Amino acid sequence: MIQFNIAGPPRTKKTSQNIVTIRMKNGKTFHKVMPSDAYQAWFKEAMSQLPLILQHIRKQGCALPIVGPVRVQAIFYRKQLSGDLLGFEQALADWLQVPLQRNGKTTRQGAGIILDDSAIESWDGSRKSKDALRPRIEVEIQPYEGQLFDEDL
């Protein structure tokens, strides 16, 4: 099992989404829903904390990315009593996964802690709480099977 915190108020992706029009090379256009500005700011702040989080995880003896099914438990400490649990879980899941690149372009950003968010089998024990003075996300990841930790440590 690994544990770490992400400092700052949690955000969901879908609050006040931005809809943008994309023009393709052939001249056709399509609309794409982009994450909210608040989510993008949270994601950037969480990524700035990643070096310390990774250092903390490695001290716990974990090889990254975690491959295989996992249980994630997260306590979302918010500044105020707003936001939905599922939205917070989706935002955290997207942040946890490995970034993807196709044709030299980043198609998915992420922290690289788990291989893919589809490996999350359970959010048992996750909940919302309030801490106006120190908003954060307390994260615990537990493997369902297979090796998570280096046996030599």
PDB file of all heavy atoms in Angstrom, residues 27-45:
ATOM      1  N   GLY A  27     -10.623  21.143 -43.352  1.00  0.00           N
ATOM      2  CA  GLY A  27     -11.566  22.250 -43.269  1.00  0.00           C
ATOM      3  C   GLY A  27     -12.790  21.978 -42.426  1.00  0.00           C
ATOM      4  O   GLY A  27     -13.527  22.896 -42.083  1.00  0.00           O
ATOM      5  N   LYS A  28     -13.033  20.717 -42.104  1.00  0.00           N
ATOM      6  CA  LYS A  28     -14.192  20.388 -41.276  1.00  0.00           C
ATOM      7  C   LYS A  28     -13.917  20.812 -39.838  1.00  0.00           C
ATOM      8  O   LYS A  28     -12.772  20.885 -39.402  1.00  0.00           O
ATOM      9  CB  LYS A  28     -14.486  18.886 -41.335  1.00  0.00           C
ATOM     10  CG  LYS A  28     -14.968  18.429 -42.688  1.00  0.00           C
ATOM     11  CD  LYS A  28     -15.346  16.967 -42.659  1.00  0.00           C
ATOM     12  CE  LYS A  28     -15.851  16.550 -44.036  1.00  0.00           C
ATOM     13  NZ  LYS A  28     -16.251  15.140 -44.039  1.00  0.00           N
ATOM     14  N   THR A  29     -14.984  21.082 -39.125  1.00  0.00           N
ATOM     15  CA  THR A  29     -14.857  21.474 -37.723  1.00  0.00           C
ATOM     16  C   THR A  29     -15.646  20.506 -36.841  1.00  0.00           C
ATOM     17  O   THR A  29     -16.582  19.850 -37.298  1.00  0.00           O
ATOM     18  CB  THR A  29     -15.382  22.904 -37.480  1.00  0.00           C
ATOM     19  OG1 THR A  29     -16.766  22.958 -37.811  1.00  0.00           O
ATOM     20  CG2 THR A  29     -14.610  23.919 -38.293  1.00  0.00           C
ATOM     21  N   PHE A  30     -15.229  20.433 -35.580  1.00  0.00           N
ATOM     22  CA  PHE A  30     -15.984  19.689 -34.580  1.00  0.00           C
ATOM     23  C   PHE A  30     -15.807  20.379 -33.240  1.00  0.00           C
ATOM     24  O   PHE A  30     -14.892  21.180 -33.051  1.00  0.00           O
ATOM     25  CB  PHE A  30     -15.568  18.211 -34.529  1.00  0.00           C
ATOM     26  CG  PHE A  30     -14.177  17.965 -34.002  1.00  0.00           C
ATOM     27  CD1 PHE A  30     -13.958  17.677 -32.664  1.00  0.00           C
ATOM     28  CD2 PHE A  30     -13.080  18.017 -34.856  1.00  0.00           C
ATOM     29  CE1 PHE A  30     -12.684  17.445 -32.194  1.00  0.00           C
ATOM     30  CE2 PHE A  30     -11.796  17.795 -34.389  1.00  0.00           C
ATOM     31  CZ  PHE A  30     -11.598  17.507 -33.055  1.00  0.00           C
ATOM     32  N   HIS A  31     -16.718  20.093 -32.340  1.00  0.00           N
ATOM     33  CA  HIS A  31     -16.681  20.702 -31.010  1.00  0.00           C
ATOM     34  C   HIS A  31     -16.089  19.718 -30.018  1.00  0.00           C
ATOM     35  O   HIS A  31     -16.366  18.517 -30.089  1.00  0.00           O
ATOM     36  CB  HIS A  31     -18.087  21.111 -30.565  1.00  0.00           C
ATOM     37  CG  HIS A  31     -18.723  22.092 -31.488  1.00  0.00           C
ATOM     38  ND1 HIS A  31     -18.305  23.396 -31.584  1.00  0.00           N
ATOM     39  CD2 HIS A  31     -19.735  21.961 -32.382  1.00  0.00           C
ATOM     40  CE1 HIS A  31     -19.030  24.020 -32.479  1.00  0.00           C
ATOM     41  NE2 HIS A  31     -19.907  23.167 -32.979  1.00  0.00           N
ATOM     42  N   LYS A  32     -15.281  20.234 -29.132  1.00  0.00           N
ATOM     43  CA  LYS A  32     -14.644  19.405 -28.112  1.00  0.00           C
ATOM     44  C   LYS A  32     -14.874  20.051 -26.751  1.00  0.00           C
ATOM     45  O   LYS A  32     -14.691  21.263 -26.601  1.00  0.00           O
ATOM     46  CB  LYS A  32     -13.146  19.263 -28.392  1.00  0.00           C
ATOM     47  CG  LYS A  32     -12.444  18.341 -27.435  1.00  0.00           C
ATOM     48  CD  LYS A  32     -10.999  18.116 -27.839  1.00  0.00           C
ATOM     49  CE  LYS A  32     -10.339  17.147 -26.874  1.00  0.00           C
ATOM     50  NZ  LYS A  32      -8.967  16.871 -27.248  1.00  0.00           N
ATOM     51  N   VAL A  33     -15.274  19.221 -25.785  1.00  0.00           N
ATOM     52  CA  VAL A  33     -15.467  19.709 -24.426  1.00  0.00           C
ATOM     53  C   VAL A  33     -14.134  19.620 -23.701  1.00  0.00           C
ATOM     54  O   VAL A  33     -13.522  18.568 -23.630  1.00  0.00           O
ATOM     55  CB  VAL A  33     -16.543  18.881 -23.684  1.00  0.00           C
ATOM     56  CG1 VAL A  33     -16.686  19.362 -22.253  1.00  0.00           C
ATOM     57  CG2 VAL A  33     -17.863  18.947 -24.422  1.00  0.00           C
ATOM     58  N   MET A  34     -13.697  20.744 -23.184  1.00  0.00           N
ATOM     59  CA  MET A  34     -12.429  20.826 -22.469  1.00  0.00           C
ATOM     60  C   MET A  34     -12.700  20.926 -20.976  1.00  0.00           C
ATOM     61  O   MET A  34     -13.740  21.452 -20.564  1.00  0.00           O
ATOM     62  CB  MET A  34     -11.635  22.053 -22.932  1.00  0.00           C
ATOM     63  CG  MET A  34     -11.339  22.070 -24.429  1.00  0.00           C
ATOM     64  SD  MET A  34     -10.331  20.699 -24.984  1.00  0.00           S
ATOM     65  CE  MET A  34      -8.777  21.154 -24.273  1.00  0.00           C
ATOM     66  N   PRO A  35     -11.774  20.452 -20.150  1.00  0.00           N
ATOM     67  CA  PRO A  35     -11.960  20.565 -18.700  1.00  0.00           C
ATOM     68  C   PRO A  35     -12.084  22.026 -18.264  1.00  0.00           C
ATOM     69  O   PRO A  35     -11.594  22.927 -18.938  1.00  0.00           O
ATOM     70  CB  PRO A  35     -10.690  19.937 -18.125  1.00  0.00           C
ATOM     71  CG  PRO A  35     -10.131  19.103 -19.222  1.00  0.00           C
ATOM     72  CD  PRO A  35     -10.535  19.764 -20.503  1.00  0.00           C
ATOM     73  N   SER A  36     -12.694  22.209 -17.128  1.00  0.00           N
ATOM     74  CA  SER A  36     -12.888  23.559 -16.591  1.00  0.00           C
ATOM     75  C   SER A  36     -11.544  24.218 -16.288  1.00  0.00           C
ATOM     76  O   SER A  36     -10.535  23.554 -16.078  1.00  0.00           O
ATOM     77  CB  SER A  36     -13.732  23.504 -15.321  1.00  0.00           C
ATOM     78  OG  SER A  36     -13.000  22.893 -14.274  1.00  0.00           O
ATOM     79  N   ASP A  37     -11.556  25.546 -16.255  1.00  0.00           N
ATOM     80  CA  ASP A  37     -10.347  26.296 -15.911  1.00  0.00           C
ATOM     81  C   ASP A  37      -9.875  25.950 -14.506  1.00  0.00           C
ATOM     82  O   ASP A  37      -8.676  25.830 -14.256  1.00  0.00           O
ATOM     83  CB  ASP A  37     -10.599  27.798 -16.025  1.00  0.00           C
ATOM     84  CG  ASP A  37     -10.816  28.253 -17.469  1.00  0.00           C
ATOM     85  OD1 ASP A  37     -10.392  27.532 -18.399  1.00  0.00           O
ATOM     86  OD2 ASP A  37     -11.406  29.336 -17.654  1.00  0.00           O
ATOM     87  N   ALA A  38     -10.826  25.787 -13.567  1.00  0.00           N
ATOM     88  CA  ALA A  38     -10.471  25.447 -12.182  1.00  0.00           C
ATOM     89  C   ALA A  38      -9.769  24.091 -12.131  1.00  0.00           C
ATOM     90  O   ALA A  38      -8.778  23.919 -11.418  1.00  0.00           O
ATOM     91  CB  ALA A  38     -11.711  25.442 -11.298  1.00  0.00           C
ATOM     92  N   TYR A  39     -10.267  23.119 -12.909  1.00  0.00           N
ATOM     93  CA  TYR A  39      -9.630  21.798 -12.946  1.00  0.00           C
ATOM     94  C   TYR A  39      -8.220  21.905 -13.526  1.00  0.00           C
ATOM     95  O   TYR A  39      -7.274  21.312 -12.999  1.00  0.00           O
ATOM     96  CB  TYR A  39     -10.461  20.807 -13.764  1.00  0.00           C
ATOM     97  CG  TYR A  39      -9.697  19.535 -14.049  1.00  0.00           C
ATOM     98  CD1 TYR A  39      -9.582  18.548 -13.077  1.00  0.00           C
ATOM     99  CD2 TYR A  39      -9.050  19.341 -15.263  1.00  0.00           C
ATOM    100  CE1 TYR A  39      -8.846  17.396 -13.322  1.00  0.00           C
ATOM    101  CE2 TYR A  39      -8.318  18.193 -15.515  1.00  0.00           C
ATOM    102  CZ  TYR A  39      -8.222  17.229 -14.534  1.00  0.00           C
ATOM    103  OH  TYR A  39      -7.488  16.088 -14.776  1.00  0.00           O
ATOM    104  N   GLN A  40      -8.072  22.649 -14.618  1.00  0.00           N
ATOM    105  CA  GLN A  40      -6.760  22.772 -15.245  1.00  0.00           C
ATOM    106  C   GLN A  40      -5.752  23.414 -14.290  1.00  0.00           C
ATOM    107  O   GLN A  40      -4.587  23.000 -14.235  1.00  0.00           O
ATOM    108  CB  GLN A  40      -6.869  23.551 -16.550  1.00  0.00           C
ATOM    109  CG  GLN A  40      -7.603  22.760 -17.617  1.00  0.00           C
ATOM    110  CD  GLN A  40      -7.742  23.522 -18.929  1.00  0.00           C
ATOM    111  OE1 GLN A  40      -7.146  24.571 -19.133  1.00  0.00           O
ATOM    112  NE2 GLN A  40      -8.539  22.974 -19.830  1.00  0.00           N
ATOM    113  N   ALA A  41      -6.194  24.391 -13.514  1.00  0.00           N
ATOM    114  CA  ALA A  41      -5.306  25.009 -12.525  1.00  0.00           C
ATOM    115  C   ALA A  41      -4.947  24.003 -11.433  1.00  0.00           C
ATOM    116  O   ALA A  41      -3.785  23.932 -11.001  1.00  0.00           O
ATOM    117  CB  ALA A  41      -5.971  26.245 -11.917  1.00  0.00           C
ATOM    118  N   TRP A  42      -5.940  23.214 -10.979  1.00  0.00           N
ATOM    119  CA  TRP A  42      -5.667  22.183  -9.962  1.00  0.00           C
ATOM    120  C   TRP A  42      -4.671  21.156 -10.516  1.00  0.00           C
ATOM    121  O   TRP A  42      -3.722  20.775  -9.836  1.00  0.00           O
ATOM    122  CB  TRP A  42      -6.955  21.469  -9.535  1.00  0.00           C
ATOM    123  CG  TRP A  42      -6.659  20.273  -8.687  1.00  0.00           C
ATOM    124  CD1 TRP A  42      -6.419  20.252  -7.344  1.00  0.00           C
ATOM    125  CD2 TRP A  42      -6.524  18.915  -9.130  1.00  0.00           C
ATOM    126  NE1 TRP A  42      -6.137  18.977  -6.928  1.00  0.00           N
ATOM    127  CE2 TRP A  42      -6.191  18.134  -8.006  1.00  0.00           C
ATOM    128  CE3 TRP A  42      -6.639  18.284 -10.375  1.00  0.00           C
ATOM    129  CZ2 TRP A  42      -5.987  16.750  -8.077  1.00  0.00           C
ATOM    130  CZ3 TRP A  42      -6.432  16.913 -10.445  1.00  0.00           C
ATOM    131  CH2 TRP A  42      -6.108  16.169  -9.306  1.00  0.00           C
ATOM    132  N   PHE A  43      -4.887  20.696 -11.740  1.00  0.00           N
ATOM    133  CA  PHE A  43      -4.017  19.692 -12.354  1.00  0.00           C
ATOM    134  C   PHE A  43      -2.580  20.202 -12.413  1.00  0.00           C
ATOM    135  O   PHE A  43      -1.640  19.491 -12.054  1.00  0.00           O
ATOM    136  CB  PHE A  43      -4.534  19.347 -13.753  1.00  0.00           C
ATOM    137  CG  PHE A  43      -3.928  18.116 -14.346  1.00  0.00           C
ATOM    138  CD1 PHE A  43      -4.560  16.888 -14.226  1.00  0.00           C
ATOM    139  CD2 PHE A  43      -2.720  18.177 -15.026  1.00  0.00           C
ATOM    140  CE1 PHE A  43      -3.996  15.743 -14.784  1.00  0.00           C
ATOM    141  CE2 PHE A  43      -2.149  17.042 -15.576  1.00  0.00           C
ATOM    142  CZ  PHE A  43      -2.791  15.822 -15.448  1.00  0.00           C
ATOM    143  N   LYS A  44      -2.418  21.441 -12.841  1.00  0.00           N
ATOM    144  CA  LYS A  44      -1.081  22.036 -12.935  1.00  0.00           C
ATOM    145  C   LYS A  44      -0.424  22.122 -11.556  1.00  0.00           C
ATOM    146  O   LYS A  44       0.755  21.787 -11.402  1.00  0.00           O
ATOM    147  CB  LYS A  44      -1.178  23.424 -13.574  1.00  0.00           C
ATOM    148  CG  LYS A  44       0.143  24.086 -13.817  1.00  0.00           C
ATOM    149  CD  LYS A  44      -0.037  25.422 -14.519  1.00  0.00           C
ATOM    150  CE  LYS A  44       1.306  26.088 -14.737  1.00  0.00           C
ATOM    151  NZ  LYS A  44       1.165  27.384 -15.410  1.00  0.00           N
ATOM    152  N   GLU A  45      -1.191  22.533 -10.554  1.00  0.00           N
ATOM    153  CA  GLU A  45      -0.659  22.622  -9.187  1.00  0.00           C
ATOM    154  C   GLU A  45      -0.290  21.230  -8.669  1.00  0.00           C
ATOM    155  O   GLU A  45       0.761  21.042  -8.054  1.00  0.00           O
ATOM    156  CB  GLU A  45      -1.672  23.292  -8.256  1.00  0.00           C
ATOM    157  CG  GLU A  45      -1.281  23.291  -6.799  1.00  0.00           C
ATOM    158  CD  GLU A  45       0.037  23.988  -6.486  1.00  0.00           C
ATOM    159  OE1 GLU A  45       0.438  24.912  -7.220  1.00  0.00           O
ATOM    160  OE2 GLU A  45       0.694  23.598  -5.489  1.00  0.00           O
TER     161      GLU A  45
END
